Amino acid sequence: MKKVLFLLFLPLSSLVYAQSGYLKTPWTDEVNLEKPLQEYPRPQLVRSEWQNLNGKWNYSILPKGSFPEMGFAGEIVVPFPVESYLSGVQETVGPEMELWYEKTFDLELKKGKNRVLLHFGAVDWEAEVWVNGQSVGIHQGGFDAFSFDITDQLNNGKSQTLRVRVWDPSDSGPQPRGKQVKEPKGIWYTPVTGIWQTVWLETVPESHLLQFYSETEWDSSTQVFYSQIQNPKKSHEIEVQVYDQNILIGSVRGKASEALKLLLQNPQPWSPDQPNLYEVKVTLFDGKKRVDQVNSYFAYRDVRMAKDSEGFQRIFLNGKALFQYGPLDQGWWPDGLYTAPTDEALLFDIEKTQEMGFNMIRKHVKVEPARWYYHADRLGMLVWQDMPSGDMGNRWEVRPGVIREGMNKDRSPESEEIFRREWTEIMEEFKFFPSIVVWVPFNEAWGQFKTKEIVQLTRKLDPTRLINSASGGNFEMEGNDVVGDIMDLHNYPDPVMPDPAIFGKNRIMVLGEFGGLGLPVEGHTWQKRDNWGYQSFSDQKELMGRYAILLDDLKGMIPKGLAAAIYTQTTDVEVEVNGLMTYDRKVIKFDPEKLKKTHSSFY
């Protein structure tokens, strides 16, 4: 999102008011503080033997390099960030301090000869973990899941003690952090520190399935399955059984180290109109012995760039051009910040977006828990996935024709390595989900560096999806073409599009952000006054009238080659009131039925 000159900044004193419990979502008071977010956190690789560790932990905030030798300050509700209302703490940490967690729990899993894995959905940013006083490892990265084998550190009895140290430099460091800043204002929001996704345990055999995903070979009606094995053996084989409505429709077996191809008879494609998903049972064999088994799923779907009958590059889904239109979705909550209060809340935003007639969501400089993408898969919502931005400060220059091309950020080797490592981890983890159709490594030159190299890395990691190299600007050019598949402009509030004569034949033309129409709703804002939108309105009728004008202009661009557009934004976020819904999700500012009728004409 672009920063504009007429922002009204949020006074720091308003944070206390905003998170005092005044601005609650419909789910705030439904959260079980003893056992929050109990759903299985990894729907793409499901095992039956697992244990959820969410709930009340001990915590302390101490100067960096200190240890909680004198005990802990109080209790925190995991997995809500320490700055959030639902954490029960609402304290700022900052780069000079560290956040410590401790939890003593009974191991409920029957270990036997199996290994015990400790999983963290996400911790922002650096996490060091001890089990029963023994260090098991350090992880850096605020948006990717990680795990440790803690079998050898477990006590013989049931009682176990887990300790975690977290350091997060926020916007003082070069790491990916999205919209978080130490001093929230305008389009920059409250810091998120510490554990913000589910912490859990599972038992696995010594050799077990570590990763599973698949790709569609559209032209041959074939699905290709890939597995990664922890502690592999040459004798290992994988069997994939495919089910449709609980009926076995095919299976394939082969070496665990190889891609397995299955020809599907009359395959049912996945699309927003028909989000068909196939259930999968994946078994690891050593000879005739079954070593490990997980449940999973896949979708038969294809996304590619191709020319339409007029010669314009479009996004083709399953062999047909499909205009994609959706909101910019930042995934923030007034009660949990990065963390939705419940799974129902996590699902709510996708459901409402779909009810309004959008067929796509751009997940903006944030990565959600795996369950969010699972819901998108189930419901048939297309997703454009941003890489969270970081190490900002570079400038861009504006050329005629609202094409932004400028200076890449001169990032340090450490900063570059942090970006590449986490982007790789994110893509490896989330390329499973068929709802994701576009990767967006950079937004508006925010920390953008070596664009061509990052696009090449993205293509190598996943050649099956499209790449929007720099949403909104600072394009690296190859001749007259931008690097990547997409030419993407941002403009507020009115829609614009790239010049078809220059870009329409070789790149997909996209309006990556527009709109930002603001309407503060009394009793549902982060602060009582001085909230803002890119253009503000006093009532719903006036707001809808302006939106209708924007859509009329947008609709006229589609025959000229515009392939997708993204409206800012799904919900209000802190002082921004340009959402389709209020920040607390209690007021829908537009009539969903009218929006759906209008949006359907785009497709």
Side-chain angles (χ1 to χ4, degrees), residues 292-473:
D292 189 22
Q293 188 172 79
V294 300
N295 293 324
S296 189
Y297 66 92
F298 75 87
Y300 180 76
R301 76 103 180 89
D302 176 77
V303 59
R304 65 182 67 183
M305 175 173 67
K307 289 185 177 181
D308 64 10
S309 59
E310 300 298 319
F312 293 120
Q313 296 287 359
R314 301 279 186 181
I315 303 174
F316 275 60
L317 182 70
N318 303 330
K320 297 180 180 179
L322 175 65
F323 186 82
Q324 298 189 15
Y325 181 50
L328 192 78
D329 190 315
Q330 307 206 62
W332 284 75
W333 300 83
D335 46 11
L337 298 180
Y338 259 13
T339 309
T342 66
D343 194 61
E344 291 77 16
L346 193 70
L347 173 62
F348 178 84
D349 284 0
I350 306 175
E351 288 182 324
K352 286 300 173 185
T353 300
Q354 198 167 50
E355 287 177 16
M356 295 178 194
F358 297 100
N359 65 358
M360 174 262 280
I361 289 171
R362 179 183 168 200
K363 182 52 66 174
H364 187 46
V365 295
K366 183 198 177 190
V367 179
E368 293 288 357
R371 289 192 64 83
W372 187 91
Y373 302 91
Y374 166 64
H375 292 316
D377 290 347
R378 290 192 305 105
L379 295 177
M381 181 59 69
L382 300 166
V383 176
W384 292 26
Q385 180 59 56
D386 284 14
M387 170 62 175
S389 48
D391 203 359
M392 303 180 205
N394 49 315
R395 62 189 180 90
W396 58 19
E397 298 166 349
V398 181
R399 298 193 324 181
V402 292
I403 299 169
R404 299 174 181 89
E405 180 186 5
M407 301 290 289
N408 277 339
K409 172 79 172 177
D410 186 13
R411 296 174 74 153
S412 69
E414 176 195 19
S415 175
E416 289 189 14
E417 195 277 331
I418 287 171
F419 180 98
R420 293 175 193 271
R421 183 179 67 234
E422 188 156 4
W423 185 225
T424 298
E425 291 294 330
I426 289 168
M427 288 191 63
E428 290 290 342
E429 186 175 344
F430 291 93
K431 67 183 180 183
F432 170 89
F433 297 101
S435 53
I436 298 175
V437 292
V438 175
W439 296 115
V440 188
F442 295 114
N443 175 76
E444 288 187 1
W446 292 357
Q448 185 177 349
F449 72 101
K450 297 181 179 177
T451 309
K452 187 174 182 178
E453 290 184 24
I454 298 303
V455 168
Q456 289 172 342
L457 171 65
T458 305
R459 189 84 69 194
K460 180 180 178 181
L461 291 169
D462 183 5
T464 72
R465 290 176 170 91
L466 300 174
I467 301 173
N468 186 358
S469 63
S471 183

Side-chain angles (χ1 to χ4, degrees), residues 248-285:
L248 181 65
I249 62 168
S251 65
V252 60
R253 179 168 171 165
K255 292 182 179 180
S257 58
E258 297 179 354
L260 301 179
K261 294 188 176 185
L262 179 63
L263 179 65
L264 298 173
Q265 301 298 324
N266 190 29
Q268 302 301 305
W270 179 97
S271 70
D273 292 330
Q274 292 184 309
N276 299 305
L277 295 175
Y278 291 94
E279 300 165 352
V280 174
K281 186 177 291 183
V282 189
T283 308
L284 174 63
F285 285 97

Side-chain angles (χ1 to χ4, degrees), residues 21-39:
Y22 164 78
L23 196 61
K24 293 182 178 181
T25 69
W27 307 275
T28 305
D29 295 331
E30 296 180 3
V31 175
N32 182 341
L33 299 180
E34 300 294 334
K35 294 183 176 182
L37 295 167
Q38 294 297 293
E39 293 79 13

Side-chain angles (χ1 to χ4, degrees), residues 86 126 294 585:
L86 282 170
E126 177 183 272
V294 300
R585 276 74 167 176

